[in-house]
Amino acid sequence: MNNNRSSRHENKEKKVNRLYNLLIAVVAVLIVFVGGTMILGNKDKSDNQAETTQNNPQTNDQKTDKTAKKDDDSSKDDQATEDQATDDQSSEDDQSSEDDQSSEDDQATDEESNDSDSQAEVEKNPEPGVAERKVDPSWDSVGTSQDAPAATYKKGSTDWNEMLKAVGEGSGISPSNMTVWRLGNNGGVGKAVATVSPKGNSSTKYRVQIEWVDGEGWKPAVVDKLQ
């Protein structure tokens, strides 16, 4: 009785051991299969990549060309920027030179004007009815087409027009914008005096004494600004 039980137990253990061994064998086969598949798959992938690279050298060349073109365009842009900066600097230098020259010209004009004003003799209220009297050595003759003054004081004549030019030189009023209140003799053939004002401004009047210079014409001598 006991021997039968022992025999059945041993048979059962043998069946379990065989089952375990079978399972272990199956697992080992699966491991080998999976490992081989992974190795072969990686190899195929590497081969495909190598083949793709060999079959598409043009793609790499295109990438290289694009990179070179991009670098060339960047260099052109940098050069254009440098050229623009150079042009801008040149324009600034030219403008600066023009401004300096203009300033120098203005300064020279101001100096000439100041020299002229410094030569002029100005006297305030020299006599009743005169607010200011001015004598300026820089006044020049206005030129003439006559050998001598006509002394006729005829309006519109050559002598009349030349006298008005001299009067305008002293008063600063253009003959075309001048109202002539009086123009006549001032004590001799070569001396005359005029009273004038700007057109439309009769409240501002000037009395201008002029003198004749042989070969040169009339010139201002004394200018009074009347009250």
Side-chain angles (χ1 to χ4, degrees):
M1 185 75 175
N2 292 329
N3 289 333
N4 290 332
R5 289 181 178 176
S6 175
S7 177
R8 285 197 299 271
H9 181 71
E10 289 177 358
N11 290 333
K12 186 177 181 180
E13 287 182 351
K14 288 180 181 180
K15 290 181 180 180
V16 171
N17 289 335
R18 282 198 297 269
L19 180 61
Y20 284 159
N21 292 333
L22 179 61
L23 291 174
I24 292 171
V26 171
V27 171
V29 171
L30 290 174
I31 292 173
V32 171
F33 176 77
V34 172
T37 302
M38 292 178 63
I39 293 172
L40 292 175
N42 290 335
K43 183 178 179 180
D44 292 341
K45 184 176 181 181
S46 299
D47 293 341
N48 290 333
Q49 289 180 346
E51 184 178 357
T52 301
T53 302
Q54 292 177 355
N55 292 333
N56 297 298
Q58 185 177 2
T59 302
N60 294 331
D61 293 340
Q62 290 177 348
K63 291 181 179 179
T64 303
D65 292 341
K66 288 181 179 179
T67 301
K69 184 177 180 181
K70 183 177 181 180
D71 293 339
D72 185 55
D73 292 341
S74 178
S75 299
K76 290 181 180 179
D77 291 340
D78 293 340
Q79 183 63 39
T81 302
E82 292 177 1
D83 293 342
Q84 182 64 37
T86 301
D87 293 341
D88 292 342
Q89 183 63 39
S90 177
S91 298
E92 291 177 1
D93 293 340
D94 293 341
Q95 183 64 38
S96 177
S97 299
E98 292 177 359
D99 293 341
D100 292 341
Q101 183 63 40
S102 178
S103 298
E104 291 176 0
D105 294 341
D106 292 341
Q107 184 176 359
T109 301
D110 292 340
E111 289 177 354
E112 292 177 358
S113 178
N114 291 335
D115 290 341
S116 176
D117 292 339
S118 64
Q119 294 177 3
E121 298 178 3
V122 179
E123 184 179 0
K124 301 292 185 180
N125 303 311
E127 62 181 73
V130 178
E132 180 181 283
R133 175 167 292 165
K134 182 177 181 180
V135 178
D136 192 344
S138 66
W139 285 329
D140 200 2
S141 303
V142 296
T144 182
S145 60
Q146 306 177 99
D147 295 330
T152 59
Y153 303 102
K154 182 179 179 181
K155 186 176 182 179
S157 65
T158 298
D159 194 41
W160 176 277
N161 292 333
E162 291 181 358
M163 284 190 289
L164 289 187
K165 286 179 65 178
V167 171
E169 176 74 15
S171 65
I173 305 172
S174 171
S176 62
N177 190 44
M178 180 186 297
T179 298
V180 181
W181 299 97
R182 175 181 180 273
L183 176 57
N185 187 279
N186 192 33
V189 175
K191 295 182 179 181
V193 62
T195 302
V196 297
S197 65
K199 286 183 178 180
N201 187 10
S202 60
S203 61
T204 301
K205 293 183 179 179
Y206 295 90
R207 182 173 63 202
V208 184
Q209 301 179 51
I210 59 176
E211 297 177 352
W212 174 265
V213 179
D214 290 335
E216 298 180 9
W218 295 97
K219 65 173 291 186
V222 180
V223 177
D224 293 333
K225 184 176 182 180
L226 305 179
Q227 292 178 338

Coordinates of all heavy atoms in Angstrom, one line a residue, residues 65-119:
D65 N 25.7 72.8 -51.2 CA 25.5 74.0 -52.1 C 24.7 75.1 -51.4 O 24.9 76.3 -51.5 CB 24.9 73.6 -53.4 CG 25.8 72.7 -54.2 OD1 27.0 72.8 -54.0 OD2 25.3 72.0 -55.2
K66 N 23.6 74.6 -50.7 CA 22.7 75.6 -50.0 C 23.5 76.3 -48.9 O 23.3 77.5 -48.7 CB 21.5 74.8 -49.4 CG 20.5 74.4 -50.5 CD 19.3 73.7 -49.8 CE 18.3 73.2 -50.9 NZ 17.2 72.5 -50.3
T67 N 24.3 75.5 -48.2 CA 25.1 76.1 -47.1 C 26.1 77.2 -47.7 O 26.2 78.3 -47.2 CB 25.9 75.1 -46.3 OG1 25.0 74.1 -45.8 CG2 26.7 75.7 -45.2
A68 N 26.7 76.8 -48.8 CA 27.7 77.7 -49.4 C 27.0 78.9 -49.9 O 27.5 80.1 -49.8 CB 28.4 77.0 -50.6
K69 N 25.8 78.7 -50.6 CA 25.0 79.9 -51.1 C 24.6 80.8 -50.0 O 24.7 82.0 -50.1 CB 23.8 79.4 -51.8 CG 23.0 80.5 -52.5 CD 21.9 80.0 -53.3 CE 21.1 81.1 -53.9 NZ 19.9 80.6 -54.7
K70 N 24.2 80.2 -48.8 CA 23.8 81.0 -47.7 C 24.9 81.8 -47.2 O 24.8 83.0 -46.8 CB 23.2 80.1 -46.6 CG 22.7 80.8 -45.4 CD 22.1 79.9 -44.4 CE 21.5 80.6 -43.2 NZ 20.9 79.7 -42.2
D71 N 26.1 81.2 -47.1 CA 27.3 81.9 -46.6 C 27.7 83.1 -47.6 O 28.0 84.2 -47.2 CB 28.5 81.0 -46.5 CG 28.3 80.0 -45.3 OD1 27.4 80.3 -44.5 OD2 28.9 78.9 -45.3
D72 N 27.5 82.8 -48.9 CA 27.8 83.8 -49.9 C 26.9 84.9 -49.8 O 27.3 86.1 -49.9 CB 27.8 83.1 -51.3 CG 28.2 84.1 -52.4 OD1 29.3 84.6 -52.3 OD2 27.4 84.3 -53.4
D73 N 25.6 84.6 -49.7 CA 24.6 85.7 -49.5 C 24.8 86.5 -48.3 O 24.7 87.8 -48.3 CB 23.1 85.1 -49.5 CG 22.7 84.5 -50.8 OD1 23.3 84.8 -51.8 OD2 21.8 83.6 -50.8
S74 N 25.2 85.9 -47.2 CA 25.5 86.6 -46.0 C 26.7 87.5 -46.2 O 26.7 88.7 -45.7 CB 25.8 85.6 -44.9 OG 26.2 86.3 -43.7
S75 N 27.7 87.0 -46.9 CA 28.9 87.9 -47.2 C 28.5 89.1 -48.1 O 29.0 90.2 -47.8 CB 30.0 87.0 -47.9 OG 30.4 86.0 -47.1
K76 N 27.6 88.8 -49.1 CA 27.2 89.9 -49.9 C 26.4 91.0 -49.1 O 26.6 92.2 -49.3 CB 26.3 89.4 -51.0 CG 27.0 88.6 -52.1 CD 26.1 88.2 -53.2 CE 26.9 87.4 -54.2 NZ 26.0 86.9 -55.3
D77 N 25.5 90.5 -48.2 CA 24.8 91.4 -47.3 C 25.7 92.2 -46.5 O 25.5 93.4 -46.3 CB 23.8 90.6 -46.4 CG 22.7 90.0 -47.3 OD1 22.5 90.5 -48.4 OD2 22.0 89.1 -46.8
D78 N 26.8 91.6 -45.9 CA 27.7 92.3 -45.1 C 28.5 93.3 -45.9 O 28.7 94.5 -45.4 CB 28.7 91.3 -44.4 CG 28.1 90.4 -43.4 OD1 27.0 90.7 -42.9 OD2 28.6 89.3 -43.1
Q79 N 28.8 93.0 -47.1 CA 29.5 93.9 -48.0 C 28.7 95.1 -48.3 O 29.1 96.3 -48.3 CB 30.0 93.2 -49.3 CG 30.9 94.1 -50.2 CD 32.1 94.5 -49.5 OE1 32.8 93.8 -48.8 NE2 32.5 95.8 -49.7
A80 N 27.4 94.8 -48.6 CA 26.4 95.9 -49.0 C 26.3 96.8 -47.8 O 26.2 98.0 -47.9 CB 25.1 95.3 -49.4
T81 N 26.2 96.2 -46.6 CA 26.1 97.1 -45.4 C 27.3 97.9 -45.2 O 27.2 99.1 -44.9 CB 25.9 96.2 -44.1 OG1 24.7 95.3 -44.3 CG2 25.7 97.0 -42.9
E82 N 28.5 97.4 -45.4 CA 29.7 98.2 -45.3 C 29.8 99.3 -46.3 O 30.1 100.4 -46.0 CB 30.9 97.2 -45.5 CG 31.1 96.2 -44.3 CD 32.3 95.3 -44.6 OE1 32.9 95.5 -45.6 OE2 32.5 94.4 -43.7
D83 N 29.3 98.9 -47.6 CA 29.3 100.0 -48.6 C 28.4 101.1 -48.3 O 28.7 102.3 -48.5 CB 28.9 99.3 -50.0 CG 30.0 98.4 -50.5 OD1 31.1 98.4 -50.0 OD2 29.7 97.5 -51.4
Q84 N 27.2 100.7 -47.8 CA 26.2 101.7 -47.4 C 26.7 102.6 -46.3 O 26.5 103.8 -46.3 CB 24.9 101.0 -47.0 CG 23.8 102.0 -46.6 CD 23.3 102.8 -47.8 OE1 23.3 102.3 -48.9 NE2 23.0 104.1 -47.6
A85 N 27.4 102.0 -45.3 CA 28.0 102.7 -44.2 C 29.0 103.7 -44.7 O 29.1 104.9 -44.3 CB 28.6 101.8 -43.2
T86 N 29.8 103.2 -45.7 CA 30.8 104.1 -46.3 C 30.2 105.3 -47.0 O 30.7 106.4 -46.9 CB 31.7 103.3 -47.2 OG1 32.3 102.2 -46.5 CG2 32.8 104.2 -47.8
D87 N 29.1 105.0 -47.8 CA 28.4 106.1 -48.5 C 27.8 107.1 -47.5 O 27.9 108.3 -47.8 CB 27.3 105.5 -49.4 CG 27.9 104.7 -50.6 OD1 29.1 104.8 -50.8 OD2 27.2 103.8 -51.1
D88 N 27.2 106.5 -46.5 CA 26.6 107.4 -45.5 C 27.7 108.3 -44.8 O 27.5 109.5 -44.6 CB 25.9 106.6 -44.4 CG 24.6 105.9 -45.0 OD1 24.2 106.3 -46.1 OD2 24.2 105.0 -44.3
Q89 N 28.8 107.7 -44.5 CA 29.9 108.5 -43.9 C 30.4 109.5 -44.8 O 30.7 110.7 -44.4 CB 31.0 107.6 -43.4 CG 32.2 108.3 -42.7 CD 31.7 108.9 -41.4 OE1 30.9 108.3 -40.7 NE2 32.2 110.1 -41.1
S90 N 30.5 109.2 -46.1 CA 31.0 110.1 -47.1 C 30.0 111.3 -47.3 O 30.4 112.4 -47.4 CB 31.2 109.4 -48.5 OG 31.6 110.3 -49.5
S91 N 28.7 111.0 -47.3 CA 27.7 112.0 -47.4 C 27.7 112.9 -46.2 O 27.6 114.2 -46.3 CB 26.3 111.4 -47.5 OG 26.2 110.6 -48.6
E92 N 27.9 112.3 -45.0 CA 28.0 113.1 -43.8 C 29.2 114.1 -43.8 O 29.2 115.2 -43.4 CB 28.1 112.3 -42.5 CG 26.8 111.5 -42.2 CD 26.9 110.6 -41.1 OE1 28.0 110.5 -40.5 OE2 25.9 109.9 -40.7
D93 N 30.4 113.5 -44.3 CA 31.6 114.3 -44.5 C 31.4 115.5 -45.4 O 31.8 116.6 -45.2 CB 32.8 113.5 -44.9 CG 33.2 112.4 -43.8 OD1 32.8 112.7 -42.7 OD2 33.8 111.4 -44.2
D94 N 30.7 115.2 -46.6 CA 30.4 116.2 -47.6 C 29.5 117.3 -47.0 O 29.8 118.5 -47.2 CB 29.8 115.6 -48.8 CG 30.8 114.7 -49.6 OD1 32.0 114.8 -49.4 OD2 30.3 113.9 -50.4
Q95 N 28.5 116.8 -46.3 CA 27.5 117.8 -45.7 C 28.3 118.6 -44.7 O 28.0 119.9 -44.6 CB 26.4 117.0 -45.1 CG 25.3 118.0 -44.5 CD 24.6 118.8 -45.5 OE1 24.4 118.3 -46.6 NE2 24.4 120.1 -45.3
S96 N 29.1 118.0 -43.9 CA 29.9 118.7 -42.9 C 30.8 119.8 -43.5 O 30.9 120.9 -43.0 CB 30.7 117.8 -42.0 OG 31.5 118.5 -41.1
S97 N 31.4 119.4 -44.6 CA 32.3 120.3 -45.3 C 31.5 121.5 -45.9 O 31.9 122.7 -45.8 CB 33.0 119.6 -46.5 OG 33.8 118.6 -46.0
E98 N 30.3 121.2 -46.5 CA 29.5 122.3 -47.0 C 29.0 123.2 -45.9 O 29.0 124.4 -46.0 CB 28.2 121.7 -47.7 CG 28.6 120.9 -49.0 CD 27.4 120.3 -49.6 OE1 26.3 120.4 -49.0 OE2 27.5 119.7 -50.7
D99 N 28.6 122.6 -44.7 CA 28.2 123.4 -43.6 C 29.3 124.3 -43.1 O 29.1 125.5 -42.7 CB 27.7 122.5 -42.4 CG 26.4 121.8 -42.8 OD1 25.7 122.3 -43.8 OD2 26.1 120.8 -42.2
D100 N 30.6 123.7 -43.0 CA 31.7 124.5 -42.6 C 32.0 125.6 -43.5 O 32.3 126.8 -43.1 CB 33.0 123.6 -42.5 CG 32.8 122.6 -41.3 OD1 32.0 122.8 -40.4 OD2 33.5 121.6 -41.3
Q101 N 31.9 125.3 -44.8 CA 32.2 126.4 -45.8 C 31.1 127.5 -45.7 O 31.4 128.7 -45.8 CB 32.2 125.8 -47.2 CG 32.5 126.8 -48.3 CD 33.9 127.3 -48.2 OE1 34.8 126.6 -47.9 NE2 34.1 128.6 -48.4
S102 N 29.8 127.0 -45.6 CA 28.8 128.0 -45.4 C 29.0 128.9 -44.2 O 28.8 130.1 -44.2 CB 27.4 127.3 -45.3 OG 26.4 128.3 -45.2
S103 N 29.4 128.3 -43.1 CA 29.6 129.0 -41.9 C 30.8 130.0 -42.1 O 30.7 131.2 -41.6 CB 30.0 128.1 -40.7 OG 28.9 127.2 -40.4
E104 N 31.8 129.6 -42.8 CA 33.0 130.5 -43.0 C 32.5 131.6 -43.9 O 32.9 132.8 -43.7 CB 34.1 129.7 -43.7 CG 34.8 128.6 -42.8 CD 35.8 127.8 -43.6 OE1 36.0 128.1 -44.8 OE2 36.4 127.0 -42.9
D105 N 31.7 131.3 -45.0 CA 31.2 132.4 -45.8 C 30.4 133.4 -45.0 O 30.5 134.6 -45.2 CB 30.4 131.8 -47.0 CG 31.3 131.0 -47.9 OD1 32.5 131.2 -47.9 OD2 30.7 130.2 -48.7
D106 N 29.5 132.9 -44.2 CA 28.6 133.8 -43.4 C 29.5 134.6 -42.4 O 29.2 135.8 -42.2 CB 27.6 132.9 -42.5 CG 26.6 132.3 -43.4 OD1 26.4 132.7 -44.6 OD2 26.0 131.3 -43.0
Q107 N 30.5 134.0 -41.9 CA 31.4 134.7 -40.9 C 32.1 135.8 -41.7 O 32.3 136.9 -41.2 CB 32.4 133.7 -40.3 CG 33.3 134.4 -39.2 CD 34.2 133.4 -38.6 OE1 34.1 132.2 -38.9 NE2 35.0 133.9 -37.7
A108 N 32.6 135.5 -42.9 CA 33.3 136.5 -43.7 C 32.4 137.7 -44.0 O 32.8 138.8 -44.0 CB 33.9 135.9 -45.0
T109 N 31.1 137.3 -44.4 CA 30.1 138.4 -44.7 C 29.9 139.3 -43.5 O 29.8 140.5 -43.6 CB 28.8 137.8 -45.2 OG1 29.1 137.0 -46.4 CG2 27.8 138.8 -45.6
D110 N 29.7 138.6 -42.3 CA 29.5 139.3 -41.1 C 30.7 140.2 -40.8 O 30.5 141.4 -40.3 CB 29.2 138.4 -39.9 CG 27.9 137.6 -40.1 OD1 27.1 138.1 -40.9 OD2 27.7 136.6 -39.5
E111 N 31.9 139.7 -41.0 CA 33.1 140.5 -40.7 C 33.1 141.7 -41.6 O 33.5 142.8 -41.2 CB 34.3 139.7 -40.9 CG 34.5 138.6 -39.8 CD 35.7 137.7 -40.0 OE1 36.3 137.9 -41.1 OE2 36.0 136.9 -39.1
E112 N 32.8 141.5 -42.9 CA 32.8 142.6 -43.8 C 31.8 143.7 -43.4 O 32.0 144.9 -43.5 CB 32.5 142.2 -45.3 CG 33.6 141.3 -45.9 CD 33.2 140.8 -47.2 OE1 32.1 141.1 -47.7 OE2 34.1 140.1 -47.9
S113 N 30.6 143.2 -43.0 CA 29.5 144.1 -42.6 C 29.9 144.9 -41.3 O 29.7 146.1 -41.2 CB 28.2 143.3 -42.3 OG 27.2 144.2 -41.8
N114 N 30.6 144.1 -40.4 CA 31.0 144.8 -39.2 C 32.1 145.8 -39.5 O 32.2 146.9 -38.9 CB 31.6 143.7 -38.2 CG 30.5 142.8 -37.7 OD1 29.3 143.3 -37.6 ND2 30.8 141.6 -37.3
D115 N 33.0 145.5 -40.5 CA 34.1 146.4 -40.8 C 33.4 147.7 -41.4 O 33.9 148.8 -41.1 CB 35.0 145.8 -41.9 CG 35.9 144.7 -41.3 OD1 36.0 144.7 -40.0 OD2 36.4 143.9 -42.0
S116 N 32.4 147.5 -42.3 CA 31.7 148.7 -42.8 C 31.0 149.5 -41.7 O 31.1 150.7 -41.7 CB 30.7 148.2 -43.9 OG 30.0 149.3 -44.4
D117 N 30.4 148.8 -40.8 CA 29.7 149.5 -39.7 C 30.7 150.2 -38.8 O 30.4 151.3 -38.3 CB 28.8 148.6 -38.9 CG 27.6 148.0 -39.7 OD1 27.3 148.7 -40.7 OD2 27.1 147.0 -39.4
S118 N 31.9 149.6 -38.6 CA 32.8 150.2 -37.8 C 33.5 151.5 -38.4 O 33.9 152.3 -37.7 CB 33.9 149.2 -37.4 OG 34.7 148.8 -38.6
Q119 N 33.4 151.5 -39.7 CA 34.0 152.7 -40.4 C 33.0 153.9 -40.4 O 33.4 155.0 -40.5 CB 34.3 152.4 -41.9 CG 35.5 151.4 -42.0 CD 35.8 151.0 -43.4 OE1 35.1 151.5 -44.3 NE2 36.7 150.1 -43.6

